Amino acid sequence: QVQLVESGGGLVQAGGSLRLSCAASGRTLSSLTMGWFRQVPGKEREFISTFSLFGSTIYADTVKGRFTISRDYAKNTVYLQMNSLKPEDTAVYYCAARDRGSGSRNADDYAYWGQGTQVSVSS
């Protein structure tokens, strides 16, 4: 069983930065494909970023150039560095995992989810 624990959310002013962390346990990152999603009340979960099968990064157009996904195999942790934050980035951010393969933009393709961490960006 895979467990994911996110941290690093909070309140920040527009233009600021936050770094989210997602610590995985139960399996190693090398056996998983990780992704980040976000959700606001009343809307579907939105894809943010993931890795391709060969390790390249994939981003939603809404965050490309501002957000960076990375991973530390030694710490079994995935990160999401968020820069130039905008009020429309306000959401609950979720870490997700699926069996190792190509990253997917579809939330239904991920079997494991963290509890989420709130990110609020004030104008």
Side-chain angles (χ1 to χ4, degrees), residues 91-106:
V92 177
Y93 283 69
Y94 295 92
C95 174
R98 60 192 297 242
D99 291 341
R100 187 174 182 274
S102 185
S104 172
R105 296 171 181 261
N106 187 348

Side-chain angles (χ1 to χ4, degrees), residues 37 45 104-111 113:
F37 290 76
R45 203 159 286 190
S104 172
R105 296 171 181 261
N106 187 348
D108 291 339
D109 290 335
Y110 292 82
W113 292 86

Side-chain angles (χ1 to χ4, degrees), residues 12-89:
V12 65
Q13 288 188 331
S17 299
L18 284 173
R19 188 177 81 155
L20 305 183
S21 300
C22 172
S25 61
R27 285 172 58 180
T28 61
L29 286 189
S30 59
S31 71
L32 298 167
T33 292
M34 306 297 293
W36 286 96
F37 290 76
R38 67 187 181 188
Q39 190 170 26
V40 297
K43 292 190 176 182
E44 292 187 353
R45 203 159 286 190
E46 176 191 9
F47 166 77
I48 297 299
S49 183
T50 187
F51 296 96
S52 74
L53 178 61
F54 302 104
S56 61
T57 53
I58 303 169
Y59 297 98
D61 288 343
T62 52
V63 305
K64 196 175 296 183
R66 300 188 297 123
F67 291 11
T68 303
I69 191 173
S70 62
R71 54 194 169 185
D72 185 331
Y73 287 107
K75 295 183 178 180
N76 222 41
T77 298
V78 175
Y79 302 96
L80 185 69
Q81 177 67 43
M82 305 186 295
N83 298 328
S84 302
L85 282 162
K86 305 174 181 180
E88 52 263 43
D89 293 318

